[in-house]
């Protein structure tokens, strides 16, 4: 069952589905605007993990996990 645990594709699929829907209905600019906050959150999360002396691998895997965890809090 996809319940938001680490490694679950559910949060990524929800974000990609929303971006695809917005792209088809409104156009590419709106999809990029919606993807921007994710990109900024990933960069900030990566930087914070590296500053806390996590490895690069841990930071790459952990940054999107943190973003998805926070963005899926209401589901």
């Amino acid at each position: 069952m996809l319940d938001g645990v680490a490694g679950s594709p559910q949060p990524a699929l929800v974000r990609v589905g929303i971006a695809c829907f917005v792209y088809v209905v409104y156009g590419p600019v709106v999809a990029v605007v919606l993807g921007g906050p994710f990109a900024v959150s990933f960069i900030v999360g990566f930087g914070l993990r590296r500053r806390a002396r996590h490895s690069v691998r841990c930071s790459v895997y952990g940054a999107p996990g943190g973003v998805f965890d926070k963005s899926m809090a209401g589901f």
Side-chain angles (χ1 to χ4, degrees):
M1 180 119 207
L2 298 175
D3 59 357
V5 297
S8 173
Q10 182 182 18
L13 293 175
V14 169
R15 298 274 270 194
V16 169
I18 291 170
C20 289
F21 176 76
V22 169
Y23 177 83
V24 169
V25 173
Y26 296 107
V29 174
V30 179
V32 169
V33 168
L34 288 176
F38 173 77
V40 169
S41 298
F42 175 81
I43 292 167
V44 168
F46 180 84
L48 289 173
R49 292 179 77 78
R50 287 298 293 153
R51 179 172 262 195
R53 300 190 187 268
H54 288 265
S55 68
V56 173
R57 181 178 177 181
C58 177
S59 298
V60 168
Y61 291 153
V67 173
F68 290 144
D69 179 47
K70 300 301 183 248
S71 68
M72 298 297 289
F75 290 104

